[in-house]
Amino acid sequence: MNSWLNKIRKGIGKKLAAVHRWNAWMIAFLAFSGLILPWGAWREILGAGRVWLKWLHIGVGLALLLPVLYYLLLAGKHWGLLKERPAQKWNVFIVLFMLAGWFLSGVVLWQFRAFGPAWSNPALIIHDVFTWIGLPYMIYHSITRTRWLKEPHRRSVRTSIQPKTEVSPQATEPLYTRRAFIRSAIGLGFAVTLGPSFIKWMASSLSSGANVENLVQKDNNHLIPAPQPAVDSLPPIGGGSKGNFRIYTVTPIPSFDNSNWSFTVDGLVNQAMQWNWEEFVKLPRTVQVSDFHCVTGWSVYNNTWEGIPLKHLLEQAGFQSSAQTVKFYSGDGVYTDSLTMEQAQMKDIMIAVMLDGKPIPSDLGGPVRLVVPQMYTYKSVKWLNRIELIAEDHVGYWEERGYDKDAWLSGTKQS
Ligand SMILES: Nc1nc2c(c(=O)[nH]1)N[C@H]1C(S)=C(S)[C@@H](COP(=O)(O)O)O[C@H]1N2
Ligand SMILES: [Mo]
């Protein structure tokens, strides 16, 4: 009787081992790609590859459903095998819970357009929290389950009864405790290295509004005079930004002072124009409250921007009939994007100088950034310093690397 039971156990065991192996490799890939994707430095290094990596991440994430479904078919039998192993049962629960959380929030992030920011914002937070908790857990799990650290489980029990079995000399008491010690050490190591950054991250991503203040504190620009806020700007009529910006840049963050900053409007205009900072801060500004939505799922609501409406500058410069496209240049020397002449007429597009009554900090694209409220914010060029009207099309930095040319937020196309 024992022999057929063992056969079944071995059969299931093989299948379970295969499922486990697939699951582990896929999670390893998802973890690796998932950590790299939002990482500032990698955004620049990967370039176009980043968008491919993103699709691969989504594809593997969806494919993860296969080993999980296969496992669920075997789960009943697996459960039987785990009868006296509550720790392993818990592990199965935890892993399945993690996978479900990652999967569901991942689907929302993948289909961000269908779900909209009200869903993608919490989905991104859930995706992140699960990564911060689940990843250390799974790394710990995979390290402590390597053969070397494995408890010599049943065998050591058996040795006491039948001392002549095949048990290796390692499976004795002192080694067992040493392994337990090493495992606790690994656990402690994780807690010490990841704990503080996790808490810091949680605090910053869950506290709202404080972030802009902090960024203003460490503004690296040195432009004199400081722009004076309009009455609607300070206190901000929007009540202050809600949410946290994730600082995105494809270059080191540039900083400016009066000697190296200027603003140019040129190309197919009737009158090319250029300002230095002293002149630029004197241009009449308006105030606007708008939301900020990145395609990767996060948003910042109720930003009070103060700046020069793009429409006004274009009217002032006057454009020739051959002009088809408005091209925006960043002072980082790398990032560009564009709008059609027609899109550029939208009244709410702003060449922003202040956010919530303060100069825009360098991290957020100050001294001057573009704000296109009705489109995803890869259109909102940071460190904007030149606007050129051109006759041909221009494909922006991220669009060249796979982002959708259509950056409209769903349901907002208007003027
Ligand atoms: N110069 C420059 N502008 C940029 C980017 C960039 O990398 N460089 N990233 C864009 C993207 S994808 C987003 S979501 C927003 C992010 O703005 P923030 O860094 O102020 O949060 O800036 C946009 N403008
Ligand atoms: Mo973005």
Side-chain angles (χ1 to χ4, degrees):
M1 178 179 134
N2 245 338
S3 74
W4 68 257
L5 195 68
N6 273 343
K7 251 183 206 161
I8 291 176
R9 280 190 175 165
K10 263 188 196 151
I12 296 170
K14 261 189 192 152
K15 287 178 188 164
L16 285 171
V19 167
H20 186 262
R21 199 160 47 239
W22 273 103
N23 200 46
W25 279 113
M26 288 165 108
I27 289 178
F29 172 78
L30 289 168
F32 174 73
S33 54
L35 290 177
I36 274 184
L37 281 171
W39 198 324
W42 285 95
R43 287 176 83 80
E44 191 192 356
I45 297 167
L46 290 172
R50 192 182 158 275
V51 175
W52 284 103
L53 193 64
K54 183 183 136 193
W55 285 115
L56 213 57
H57 183 89
I58 292 170
V60 173
L62 292 171
L64 197 59
L65 212 52
L66 296 175
V68 170
L69 288 179
Y70 188 54
Y71 171 76
L72 290 178
L73 291 177
L74 302 173
K77 287 173 182 156
H78 187 213
W79 220 236
L81 298 179
L82 293 183
K83 238 179 219 147
E84 287 130 39
R85 296 180 158 189
Q88 292 205 20
K89 282 187 174 179
W90 267 109
N91 177 60
V92 171
F93 262 130
I94 292 171
V95 171
L96 285 177
F97 177 70
M98 290 289 165
L99 293 180
W102 269 320
F103 186 83
L104 294 176
S105 57
V107 165
V108 173
L109 290 171
W110 166 43
Q111 292 297 332
F112 64 92
R113 270 182 196 269
F115 284 94
W119 283 84
S120 65
N121 283 214
L124 185 64
I125 292 178
I126 288 169
H127 218 69
D128 283 354
V129 169
F130 273 65
T131 301
W132 276 102
I133 297 172
L135 203 57
Y137 177 81
M138 286 180 198
I139 294 172
Y140 175 76
H141 173 85
S142 62
I143 293 176
T144 55
R145 293 301 166 89
T146 54
R147 188 164 306 171
W148 185 64
L149 284 170
K150 216 169 194 167
E151 287 172 34
H153 208 69
R154 302 265 155 97
R155 289 180 175 182
S156 58
V157 179
R158 232 184 270 145
T159 41
S160 56
I161 312 167
Q162 333 170 303
K164 277 196 110 181
T165 42
E166 74 295 338
V167 172
S168 67
Q170 288 169 340
T172 51
E173 277 296 299
L175 254 178
Y176 171 81
T177 46
R178 196 167 98 203
R179 287 186 175 117
F181 171 76
I182 293 172
R183 292 210 310 199
S184 339
I186 293 171
L188 200 70
F190 266 117
V192 169
T193 49
L194 293 176
S197 61
F198 174 64
I199 289 167
K200 214 173 94 186
W201 174 84
M202 284 285 274
S204 82
S205 78
L206 297 180
S207 80
S208 58
N211 210 3
V212 173
E213 300 280 324
N214 292 344
L215 294 171
V216 166
Q217 300 290 311
K218 62 180 195 104
D219 185 6
N220 288 322
N221 289 323
H222 304 282
L223 290 148
I224 301 162
Q228 291 308 303
V231 273
D232 280 350
S233 237
L234 201 67
I237 45 167
S241 303
K242 281 215 174 58
N244 290 283
F245 291 89
R246 300 192 175 198
I247 294 153
Y248 283 173
T249 179
V250 294
T251 63
I253 290 183
S255 56
F256 301 92
D257 56 44
N258 292 60
S259 73
N260 66 3
W261 191 88
S262 67
F263 196 95
T264 307
V265 178
D266 62 359
L268 301 171
V269 291
N270 296 330
Q271 165 141 41
M273 299 184 291
Q274 186 165 56
W275 298 267
N276 62 23
W277 178 255
E278 291 90 331
E279 294 158 348
F280 195 79
V281 279
K282 286 184 194 144
L283 296 178
R285 298 191 291 265
T286 61
V287 176
Q288 168 221 126
V289 180
S290 60
D291 299 334
F292 192 96
H293 302 292
C294 171
V295 269
T296 62
W298 55 273
S299 305
V300 183
Y301 298 91
N302 297 333
N303 304 292
T304 303
W305 299 104
E306 179 180 329
I308 303 136
L310 174 65
K311 205 171 169 7
H312 290 181
L313 274 200
L314 292 179
E315 274 160 13
Q316 208 180 321
F319 44 90
Q320 298 168 15
S321 55
S322 55
Q324 291 296 315
T325 304
V326 184
K327 180 177 175 186
F328 302 95
Y329 292 81
S330 170
D332 64 15
V334 172
Y335 200 90
T336 59
D337 213 321
S338 70
L339 294 171
T340 65
M341 278 313 288
E342 189 196 351
Q343 291 167 349
Q345 304 298 317
M346 286 189 288
K347 292 191 208 84
D348 56 359
I349 300 179
M350 185 172 263
I351 297 160
V353 179
M354 306 190 85
L355 170 59
D356 287 350
K358 314 260 168 47
I360 299 171
S362 46
D363 280 3
L364 297 184
V368 174
R369 89 174 289 165
L370 189 65
V371 174
V372 186
Q374 297 181 56
M375 294 188 177
Y376 281 105
T377 45
Y378 56 90
K379 287 287 176 189
S380 294
V381 176
K382 297 164 75 167
W383 311 293
L384 181 72
N385 68 357
R386 183 180 170 201
I387 296 171
E388 186 190 20
L389 271 56
I390 56 178
E392 59 281 6
D393 187 21
H394 172 72
V395 182
Y397 183 92
W398 278 121
E399 288 144 26
E400 205 170 89
R401 290 161 178 80
Y403 275 31
D404 206 333
K405 264 231 97 176
D406 172 14
W408 291 105
L409 294 164
S410 45
T412 54
K413 201 178 282 187
Q414 46 175 281
S415 61

